[in-house]
Amino acid sequence: MEKAISQKDVAKIIGVSTATVSNAFNRPDQLSTELRQRVLSECAKLGYSGPHFAARSLRSGRSDVVCVMLSDTLSYSFSDPMANLLLEGISDVLAENQKQMLLMSSTISSDAQIRAETLPDGFIFYGTPRGSSFDRILSLGKPCVTVDFTYKNLPSLNVDNYGACCELAKAAIRDKNDLVAVIGMRFLTASIVKRLSKQDMSLPSKEITWSRLLGFKAGASDKGVDIVSDNIIHLHRNKPKEAEIAARLLLMQEQRPNLILCMSDVIALAVCRVAQQLNLRIPEDLRVTGFDDIEEARHAKEGLTTVFQNGIEKGREAATMLLEGVTEHRKVPVELRLRGTH
Amino acid sequence: MEKAISQKDVAKIIGVSTATVSNAFNRPDQLSTELRQRVLSECAKLGYSGPHFAARSLRSGRSDVVCVMLSDTLSYSFSDPMANLLLEGISDVLAENQKQMLLMSSTISSDAQIRAETLPDGFIFYGTPRGSSFDRILSLGKPCVTVDFTYKNLPSLNVDNYGACCELAKAAIRDKNDLVAVIGMRFLTASIVKRLSKQDMSLPSKEITWSRLLGFKAGASDKGVDIVSDNIIHLHRNKPKEAEIAARLLLMQEQRPNLILCMSDVIALAVCRVAQQLNLRIPEDLRVTGFDDIEEARHAKEGLTTVFQNGIEKGREAATMLLEGVTEHRKVPVELRLRGTH
DNA sequence: CTGAAAGCGCTTACAG
DNA sequence: CTGAAAGCGCTTACAG
């Protein structure tokens, strides 16, 4: 395959300057419609499909590429229902605005990725970033929007995790005799399933799961119930397999909880499956709540009690904020969905 | 925010040539370890995080970006379980090989996307492409791999859809008195749910669902059963909502089928839900089979009878083929999973 | 092992 | 409305 034809080549063949070819593609107002049409159709004939991406980007300083920086590996994110909904919303708005989507993970800082960080015109950070990319990208001074976390006065999009979880706990807890447990992810950086220690409780991170936990505790406290650290299970990731392990841990212990507040529907549904295997009836023997209200939660026979957040709308909003240059902190509404499992 | 520091700037400050700075980042063998370390640490101090992406790409002719060209919108693809698994596998291998992932949809041909098509070093096409991007990209002469379709001698990765479906039909059909229906997507280009006409049957496209249908018909024929076009429902997309409409269509007709062969687990699970709403017992009143063996299929109480394909492995294989420059046609193994719904 | 210099393909002010 | 020319930031053969 020989080298592709360039703007200079087609300009010479058509008999105009390169500026005219460039303008035909980029600035229609700079030349007559007739000339523009002629140039464009000649280009098509010659197999020139428009300015070379890297050259244009170098010269103009723009790429029309938006980076979505995920706080976990891409691979994991594709398996997470809420991440998929968010990406759905983002990709819609980007497509509507002729932007390309580059997916990166802040868990990676290879040379190649560091280099690629200079490509996008803007960034959407989804979830608290892990590695060094966040600082590097901030120093680039390009537009950024943060989702599910806040950083100084960067525009951000969040959910009222604390409030929603407080309300949910109040709705799900009957009286002070309830034994309440919690399963959530990312309380710690540990990559194993484990109970929290008393000490862990004094070191909350910026992860949203801590806001949720504090919400649960506040709601529980309102009902006269204390959620002890021993009954709070940390998962590395929002994965069914991990959640099943956590559920077994809780449901086979001497003092079996009769209510498990889960930080996601994925976890809650896994708990329901384990309960079924152990012949525990829901909600008679065990009550379970989720978070997110993913589609599968609505398919469950009992109907999962959970908190709805609109992932697609959240993605759309985040992308819109970036493209419109919004500079404020915004909230996405959430809604309690009280169904059969509590 | 002032302009970012360039290679030229740091070279002057450190007191070496730009070539040395470039080599420190790109070709470690071209200078002594000591000098390289000094250059790198000075760069870090100065806030120079490496060569500018577009400039490097323009000069070197490489971008280290791989494009995954989806046959549907990004938005839809993020909602499809198999697409997500494929992306999971691809993203793993790309990360391992320091490649960035750019997601595009062949349904789009905006100027911005056409321009961006010149950026990647290689392409993975997932599913039969829709618009004009395929031809344009082929003319670029860059490495391509096709997944779930074949084009001339481009390297491809496929599944034996025909064989698997033939076997599945043989396993699921009991005798020639069975009334068999099929629900699948993309038989036609119509964006509505509809029964196929006799005429439609004579115009198979290159979509994999046609191979599957022909496999079903062959297996059925082996059992003395004919699947009539009226009992074959076309869905626009592999979506639960559409599948539920199709299921209602079939289950409420006068001659109710007692076996529905579905082209995906998403469809099959939707059929099971509708059957339950209609108080039909599975498998006594209705048998159902799927395709893919997604995680949810294993969660279903009855255990869905389906065909397993390893989406993550498929993605890994496709990415590996692209990066290693494989030029052959390859197959991913599939496996019948006979469980409770047939 | 290091440096001076050409040029990748384009966009954009500027002169006409 | 059009064209000549500078230069975006880098990589790479080449000379030393």
Side-chain angles (χ1 to χ4, degrees), chain A residues 69-86:
Chain A
M69 182 64 76
L70 301 158
S71 61
D72 218 312
T73 61
L74 298 202
S75 170
Y76 166 75
S77 302
F78 287 128
S79 78
D80 185 82
M82 285 309 290
N84 281 318
L85 291 173
L86 191 95

Tab-separated table of all heavy atoms in Angstrom, chain A residues 69-86:
chain	number	residue	atom	x	y	z
A	69	MET	N	-12.191	8.760	31.657
A	69	MET	CA	-11.183	8.124	32.506
A	69	MET	C	-11.899	7.341	33.591
A	69	MET	O	-12.557	7.911	34.472
A	69	MET	CB	-10.305	9.210	33.119
A	69	MET	CG	-9.184	8.697	33.987
A	69	MET	SD	-7.953	7.716	33.093
A	69	MET	CE	-7.052	9.010	32.240
A	70	LEU	N	-11.796	6.040	33.504
A	70	LEU	CA	-12.494	5.176	34.445
A	70	LEU	C	-11.601	4.883	35.643
A	70	LEU	O	-10.372	4.783	35.503
A	70	LEU	CB	-12.892	3.873	33.739
A	70	LEU	CG	-13.799	4.107	32.524
A	70	LEU	CD1	-13.738	2.934	31.564
A	70	LEU	CD2	-15.228	4.350	32.980
A	71	SER	N	-12.210	4.727	36.804
A	71	SER	CA	-11.412	4.523	38.007
A	71	SER	C	-10.990	3.065	38.161
A	71	SER	O	-10.196	2.728	39.020
A	71	SER	CB	-12.190	4.966	39.236
A	71	SER	OG	-13.364	4.203	39.350
A	72	ASP	N	-11.538	2.217	37.323
A	72	ASP	CA	-11.148	0.812	37.353
A	72	ASP	C	-10.668	0.413	35.960
A	72	ASP	O	-10.658	1.231	35.053
A	72	ASP	CB	-12.342	-0.046	37.803
A	72	ASP	CG	-11.881	-1.182	38.694
A	72	ASP	OD1	-10.917	-1.871	38.323
A	72	ASP	OD2	-12.489	-1.372	39.760
A	73	THR	N	-10.241	-0.827	35.810
A	73	THR	CA	-9.804	-1.271	34.482
A	73	THR	C	-10.968	-1.188	33.500
A	73	THR	O	-12.129	-1.288	33.891
A	73	THR	CB	-9.320	-2.731	34.518
A	73	THR	OG1	-10.410	-3.545	34.940
A	73	THR	CG2	-8.157	-2.900	35.479
A	74	LEU	N	-10.675	-1.008	32.231
A	74	LEU	CA	-11.724	-1.014	31.218
A	74	LEU	C	-12.475	-2.326	31.285
A	74	LEU	O	-13.704	-2.371	31.247
A	74	LEU	CB	-11.138	-0.896	29.806
A	74	LEU	CG	-10.356	0.357	29.434
A	74	LEU	CD1	-10.351	0.489	27.929
A	74	LEU	CD2	-10.961	1.563	30.067
A	75	SER	N	-11.708	-3.373	31.378
A	75	SER	CA	-12.280	-4.705	31.381
A	75	SER	C	-13.338	-4.835	32.474
A	75	SER	O	-14.471	-5.262	32.230
A	75	SER	CB	-11.140	-5.687	31.602
A	75	SER	OG	-11.630	-6.961	31.833
A	76	TYR	N	-12.995	-4.442	33.674
A	76	TYR	CA	-13.982	-4.506	34.748
A	76	TYR	C	-15.170	-3.596	34.453
A	76	TYR	O	-16.328	-3.984	34.642
A	76	TYR	CB	-13.364	-4.125	36.104
A	76	TYR	CG	-14.438	-3.867	37.109
A	76	TYR	CD1	-15.130	-4.927	37.669
A	76	TYR	CD2	-14.853	-2.574	37.399
A	76	TYR	CE1	-16.179	-4.704	38.532
A	76	TYR	CE2	-15.901	-2.343	38.260
A	76	TYR	CZ	-16.571	-3.414	38.816
A	76	TYR	OH	-17.619	-3.185	39.648
A	77	SER	N	-14.884	-2.392	33.981
A	77	SER	CA	-15.960	-1.424	33.781
A	77	SER	C	-17.002	-1.938	32.800
A	77	SER	O	-18.195	-1.671	32.956
A	77	SER	CB	-15.381	-0.094	33.295
A	77	SER	OG	-14.433	0.383	34.241
A	78	PHE	N	-16.557	-2.678	31.780
A	78	PHE	CA	-17.507	-3.210	30.811
A	78	PHE	C	-18.420	-4.254	31.445
A	78	PHE	O	-19.449	-4.599	30.879
A	78	PHE	CB	-16.781	-3.830	29.617
A	78	PHE	CG	-16.161	-2.818	28.707
A	78	PHE	CD1	-14.827	-2.917	28.336
A	78	PHE	CD2	-16.898	-1.755	28.225
A	78	PHE	CE1	-14.252	-1.972	27.506
A	78	PHE	CE2	-16.324	-0.809	27.390
A	78	PHE	CZ	-15.003	-0.917	27.037
A	79	SER	N	-18.017	-4.777	32.584
A	79	SER	CA	-18.860	-5.791	33.225
A	79	SER	C	-19.783	-5.164	34.270
A	79	SER	O	-20.605	-5.853	34.855
A	79	SER	CB	-17.982	-6.864	33.876
A	79	SER	OG	-17.455	-6.383	35.102
A	80	ASP	N	-19.650	-3.876	34.508
A	80	ASP	CA	-20.440	-3.226	35.553
A	80	ASP	C	-21.657	-2.518	34.943
A	80	ASP	O	-21.511	-1.630	34.097
A	80	ASP	CB	-19.560	-2.223	36.296
A	80	ASP	CG	-20.299	-1.599	37.468
A	80	ASP	OD1	-20.341	-2.232	38.524
A	80	ASP	OD2	-20.853	-0.494	37.299
A	81	PRO	N	-22.857	-2.896	35.368
A	81	PRO	CA	-24.066	-2.351	34.737
A	81	PRO	C	-24.143	-0.821	34.779
A	81	PRO	O	-24.506	-0.195	33.787
A	81	PRO	CB	-25.202	-2.962	35.559
A	81	PRO	CG	-24.636	-4.155	36.230
A	81	PRO	CD	-23.184	-3.885	36.421
A	82	MET	N	-23.790	-0.223	35.910
A	82	MET	CA	-23.902	1.237	35.987
A	82	MET	C	-22.876	1.929	35.105
A	82	MET	O	-23.163	2.946	34.481
A	82	MET	CB	-23.757	1.727	37.436
A	82	MET	CG	-24.968	1.469	38.294
A	82	MET	SD	-26.523	2.052	37.562
A	82	MET	CE	-26.303	3.821	37.659
A	83	ALA	N	-21.672	1.364	35.045
A	83	ALA	CA	-20.651	1.945	34.163
A	83	ALA	C	-21.134	1.891	32.718
A	83	ALA	O	-20.964	2.849	31.954
A	83	ALA	CB	-19.325	1.191	34.317
A	84	ASN	N	-21.773	0.791	32.353
A	84	ASN	CA	-22.278	0.666	30.992
A	84	ASN	C	-23.359	1.689	30.693
A	84	ASN	O	-23.397	2.272	29.611
A	84	ASN	CB	-22.807	-0.742	30.741
A	84	ASN	CG	-21.680	-1.702	30.472
A	84	ASN	OD1	-20.749	-1.370	29.747
A	84	ASN	ND2	-21.741	-2.870	31.061
A	85	LEU	N	-24.239	1.928	31.654
A	85	LEU	CA	-25.297	2.915	31.445
A	85	LEU	C	-24.681	4.309	31.297
A	85	LEU	O	-25.072	5.094	30.432
A	85	LEU	CB	-26.294	2.888	32.600
A	85	LEU	CG	-27.153	1.623	32.661
A	85	LEU	CD1	-27.992	1.611	33.925
A	85	LEU	CD2	-28.057	1.523	31.431
A	86	LEU	N	-23.715	4.601	32.156
A	86	LEU	CA	-23.057	5.900	32.082
A	86	LEU	C	-22.398	6.081	30.707
A	86	LEU	O	-22.555	7.115	30.051
A	86	LEU	CB	-22.012	6.026	33.184
A	86	LEU	CG	-21.476	7.435	33.336
A	86	LEU	CD1	-22.248	8.171	34.417
A	86	LEU	CD2	-20.006	7.460	33.638
